[in-house]
């Protein structure tokens, strides 16, 4: 499967593996990391960002592709929408059917709220389903939420909103118990103790996993729970605009049936945006590990309704996307591969960085290796570096790969690559949106009765997220939003429904001289040949 050039380089990887099994490059100093990031991390490439001209974050920079959507035309003409006779009338409307939406739905249902989930694809078609390596929680005797906090706060460049991160780490052990109670099968030793591993930037082994399909295991359990409770789920139905009431509070959404194109109106006492990330916008031309529906819709809906964004200029490029073969270009190669002992090696067989630096540092280091240092391995899509998977079995013994990362083994085996015997080629892939809508610790935005959970939230992780803290945040903040939105709904009398904010946004757009026919939210990725 590998080209001759790749096989030549692979010989050097094998020789180095035999020579120095235990040698690991030292970790970088803070100064080295800062210089590396500023020079090579895509977040620092100013030419790829645009300054917003309208809306709550006017004057701030965001990726050019996101700016175009945030400032685009609405998909609806308010004059054509009849809000007087809603198709649905619920207490809590949840937009998005991934892990955060499902967790929110379960808690809102627990609270007795009339709850409804709308999702533009199907329940569970979401980034949660794609998550592989695990979920963090400090529940071992040598660990504590305080240590978890310090790891995540440092890894996020000290930018996380302290109250959000505090909630994340403190409620993590309970999140694991909650998931276990619902039926998630985490990996355990023979005596029933949870198996935990390191991730990049963790000082304790606190990654709980279900092999290397942790997200699928969590999502199938949450989806079953939502369906078993008979919480209404409207599939293939996208929210294309939020509805406010005459007091400026979130009060529902305009929905679009993705198949029939029918417009429907949902009225609600509170609304939760749980629409996930933006990988399918392919910022800076990167491939992505994300689900097909990751097009930043929730940010657009919230922004147009007046909710502020936080850190929308920071994205996560997972260091190890598959760089070869082309059929899986950009697919996630879980960080767990490095947790289990695989090292990152350049074309000359040199281990050029510590394998468990934080993700932004690791991604920048690989980009540097493949660009200025000229030490990448040529691939059809550009360059890659080796991830020396056979190291895993040297370290952990024969059978470790099949037992701990079977999905990874199968993904490459389809293309004739046996990762137990041969290393694989990797390059950064667009993985996660660090920024999103700004919330307080009750999950609410600055728009009354508009809550957000999951990847659409900004500020939980600061400017870089550690592995396993996203599966955690969808549970902690999904449940939090479900509980608080349903509690709040008990006291809400919805006023007259309006789309006045959509009309005002259009006027602001016109006044700023923004033209063009782009409409948003985008809903689906655009793969037409240009
Ligand atoms: O948290 C993540 O993004 C994660 C667990 C990814 C992975 O490498 O498996």
């Amino acid at each position: 499967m590998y080209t001759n050039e790749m096989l030549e380089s692979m010989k050097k990887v094998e020789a180095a593996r035999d020579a120095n099994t235990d040698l690991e490059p030292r970790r970088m100093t803070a100064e080295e990391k800062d210089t590396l990031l500023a020079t090579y991390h895509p977040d620092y490439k100013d030419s790829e960002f645009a300054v917003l001209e309208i809306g709550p974050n006017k004057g701030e920079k965001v990726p050019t592709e996101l700016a175009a959507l945030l400032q685009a035309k609405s998909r609806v003409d308010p004059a054509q929408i009849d809000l007087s006779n809603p198709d649905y009338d619920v207490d809590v409307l949840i937009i998005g059917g991934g892990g955060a939406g499902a967790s929110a739905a379960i808690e809102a249902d627990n609270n007795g709220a009339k709850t409804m989930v709308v999702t533009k694809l199907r329940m569970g078609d979401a980034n949660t389903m794609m998550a592989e390596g695990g979920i963090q929680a400090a529940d071992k005797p040598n660990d504590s939420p305080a240590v978890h906090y310090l790891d995540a706060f440092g890894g996020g460049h000290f930018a996380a909103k302290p109250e959000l991160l505090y909630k994340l780490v403190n409620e993590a052990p309970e999140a694991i118990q909650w998931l276990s109670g619902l039926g998630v099968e985490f990996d355990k030793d023979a005596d029933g103790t949870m198996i935990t591993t390191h991730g990049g930037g963790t000082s304790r082994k606190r990654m709980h996993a279900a092999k290397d399909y942790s997200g699928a295991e969590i999502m199938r359990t949450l989806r079953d729970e939502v369906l078993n409770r008979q919480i209404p789920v409207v599939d293939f139905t996208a929210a294309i605009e939020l509805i406010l009431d005459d007091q400026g509070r979130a009060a529902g959404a305009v929905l679009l049936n993705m198949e029939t194109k029918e417009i429907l109106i949902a009225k609600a006492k509170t609304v939760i945006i749980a629409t996930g990330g933006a990988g399918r916008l392919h910022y800076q031309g990167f491939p992505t590990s994300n689900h097909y529906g990751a097009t930043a819709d929730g940010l657009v809906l919230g922004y147009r309704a007046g909710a502020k964004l936080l850190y929308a200029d920071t994205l996560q490029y997972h260091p190890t996307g598959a760089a070869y073969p082309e059929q899986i270009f950009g697919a996630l190669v879980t960080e767990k591969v490095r947790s289990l002992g695989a090292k990152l090696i350049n074309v000359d067989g040199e281990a050029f960085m510590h394998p468990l630096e934080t993700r932004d540092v690791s991604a920048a280091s690989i980009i540097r290796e493949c660009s200025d240092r000229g030490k990448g391995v040529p691939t059809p899509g550009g360059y890659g570096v080796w991830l020396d998977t056979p190291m895993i079995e040297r370290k952990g013994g024969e059978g470790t790969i099949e037992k701990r990362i079977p999905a990874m083994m199968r993904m490459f085996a389809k293309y004739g690559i046996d990762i137990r015997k041969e290393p694989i080629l990797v390059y950064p892939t667009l993985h996660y949106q660090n920024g999103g809508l700004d919330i307080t610790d009750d999950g609410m935005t600055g728009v009354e009765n508009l809550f957000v959970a999951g990847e659409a939230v900004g500020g939980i992780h600061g400017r870089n997220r550690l592995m396993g803290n996203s599966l955690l945040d969808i549970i902690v903040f999904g449940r939090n939003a479900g509980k608080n939105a349903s509690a709040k709904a008990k006291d809400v009398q919805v006023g007259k429904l309006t789309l006045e904010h959509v009309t005002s946004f259009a006027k602001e757009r016109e006044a700023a001289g923004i033209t063009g026919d782009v409409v948003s939210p985008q809903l689906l990725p655009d793969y037409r040949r240009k």
Side-chain angles (χ1 to χ4, degrees):
M1 184 68 199
Y2 286 120
T3 63
N4 286 340
E5 197 174 2
M6 291 170 184
L7 289 171
E8 277 310 305
S9 167
M10 200 191 288
K11 282 185 195 149
K12 296 181 190 162
V13 180
E14 285 161 358
R17 189 189 306 143
D18 290 337
N20 62 0
T21 308
D22 292 326
L23 275 187
E24 206 142 69
R26 65 168 175 81
R27 291 201 186 251
M28 288 177 220
T29 64
E31 291 71 29
E32 285 168 338
K33 288 183 196 177
D34 285 348
T35 310
L36 175 75
L37 290 172
T39 319
Y40 296 99
H41 195 279
D43 276 0
Y44 293 75
K45 215 168 169 182
D46 275 341
S47 57
E48 299 285 347
F49 292 82
V51 173
L52 291 169
E53 294 172 60
I54 53 173
N57 290 73
K58 183 173 166 178
E60 292 178 23
K61 66 167 195 166
V62 299
T64 313
E65 300 86 342
L66 180 61
L69 294 177
L70 290 171
Q71 304 185 133
K73 286 189 349 196
S74 173
R75 285 177 173 271
V76 306
D77 173 0
Q80 303 298 317
I81 304 286
D82 177 10
L83 300 173
S84 64
N85 192 16
D87 301 277
Y88 304 101
D89 190 349
V90 296
D91 296 332
V92 181
L93 172 67
I94 299 169
I95 305 170
S103 302
I106 293 165
E107 290 297 358
D109 186 60
N110 278 342
N111 226 352
K114 189 175 172 197
T115 303
M116 182 171 87
V117 180
V118 294
T119 170
K120 66 183 174 184
L121 296 170
R122 292 165 305 186
M123 189 75 195
D125 285 345
N127 276 348
T128 301
M129 196 56 123
M130 321 274 288
E132 296 177 357
I135 169 168
Q136 287 203 43
D139 55 6
K140 290 285 171 82
N142 71 340
D143 202 0
S144 70
V147 180
H148 188 175
Y149 185 101
L150 291 175
D151 286 350
F153 200 52
H157 301 281
F158 310 99
K161 281 180 91 166
E163 65 279 21
L164 300 188
L165 186 54
Y166 180 88
K167 189 168 192 62
L168 182 82
V169 299
N170 275 291
E171 296 184 15
E174 209 236 314
I176 298 290
Q177 292 306 318
W178 187 69
L179 289 171
S180 295
L182 289 177
V184 172
E185 293 284 356
F186 288 111
D187 296 340
K188 299 184 193 71
D189 279 327
D191 67 358
T193 314
M194 296 264 193
I195 297 174
T196 50
T197 49
H198 272 300
T202 61
S203 61
R204 301 287 188 279
K205 290 183 178 176
R206 68 170 79 89
M207 202 72 54
H208 301 63
K211 304 200 185 292
D212 56 349
Y213 37 76
S214 311
E217 171 65 7
I218 290 173
M219 191 68 243
R220 73 144 188 105
T221 309
L222 295 175
R223 179 174 54 194
D224 282 356
E225 185 66 19
V226 169
L227 299 181
N228 286 341
R229 285 168 179 248
Q230 300 186 330
I231 297 170
V233 176
V234 189
D235 282 334
F236 296 116
T237 299
I240 53 171
E241 213 60 81
L242 293 177
I243 298 170
L244 303 183
D245 73 1
D246 51 7
Q247 294 167 56
R249 304 175 300 183
V254 179
L255 308 177
L256 171 73
N257 181 310
M258 299 286 282
E259 288 171 321
T260 63
K261 308 296 174 212
E262 187 187 2
I263 294 285
L264 299 157
I265 303 301
K267 178 180 174 187
K269 293 177 178 160
T270 57
V271 179
I272 302 174
I273 290 178
T275 49
R280 291 283 166 169
L281 299 183
H282 294 286
Y283 295 137
Q284 303 192 27
F286 273 84
T288 186
S289 58
N290 278 190
H291 194 273
Y292 193 66
T295 50
D297 301 348
L299 306 199
V300 172
L301 297 178
Y303 196 68
R304 220 175 260 149
K308 273 198 92 159
L309 298 167
L310 182 63
Y311 304 146
D313 59 334
T314 158
L315 282 304
Q316 179 162 90
Y317 297 82
H318 194 293
T320 59
Y324 187 80
E326 277 171 295
Q327 294 93 323
I328 51 169
F329 186 52
L332 180 62
V333 174
T334 174
E335 192 165 319
K336 192 170 174 187
V337 174
R338 282 174 286 141
S339 309
L340 293 174
K343 291 178 192 169
L344 288 159
I345 313 280
N346 67 22
V347 70
D348 291 331
E350 298 154 348
F352 58 92
M353 55 164 283
H354 189 284
L356 288 177
E357 294 284 8
T358 52
R359 282 191 176 162
D360 52 353
V361 171
S362 304
S365 180
I366 294 171
I367 291 171
R368 174 175 64 184
E369 210 63 15
C370 292
S371 55
D372 288 2
R373 284 193 176 166
K375 298 253 186 179
V377 180
T379 63
Y383 288 92
V385 294
W386 294 108
L387 182 57
D388 193 12
T389 45
M391 286 292 302
I392 295 176
E393 304 239 314
R394 288 220 177 171
K395 207 170 158 187
E398 207 177 313
T400 308
I401 288 186
E402 186 160 16
K403 188 160 175 219
R404 306 288 300 276
I405 47 171
M408 208 47 41
M409 193 174 109
R410 276 199 301 276
M411 179 165 85
F412 282 92
K414 274 190 200 158
Y415 304 100
I417 296 170
D418 183 346
I419 69 170
R420 294 169 298 188
K421 300 197 178 91
E422 296 164 305
I424 54 179
L425 286 166
V426 294
Y427 192 80
T429 185
L430 183 53
H431 183 61
Y432 187 76
Q433 157 182 278
N434 296 320
L437 292 160
D438 192 11
I439 56 167
T440 42
D441 61 359
D442 59 1
M444 202 165 79
T445 64
V447 176
E448 188 78 12
N449 298 343
L450 179 61
F451 294 76
V452 191
E455 196 173 338
V457 174
I460 301 172
H461 310 284
R463 293 188 159 272
N464 176 60
R465 176 180 65 77
L466 300 190
M467 168 190 186
N469 275 348
S470 174
L471 278 180
L472 177 59
D473 95 41
I474 60 165
I475 304 301
V476 169
F477 286 92
R479 295 180 71 194
N480 184 52
K483 286 178 195 169
N484 291 323
S486 53
K488 190 113 202 300
K490 291 187 177 153
D491 299 323
V492 174
Q493 293 289 335
V494 178
K496 187 171 180 303
L497 300 187
T498 164
L499 288 169
E500 191 46 49
H501 59 289
V502 179
T503 309
S504 307
F505 199 86
K507 284 188 188 144
E508 209 183 333
R509 192 172 176 270
E510 204 182 314
I514 301 171
T515 52
D517 286 330
V518 179
V519 292
S520 66
Q522 185 170 312
L523 306 181
L524 295 173
D526 180 3
Y527 291 126
R528 284 170 303 179
R529 275 185 203 282
K530 303 251 164 47

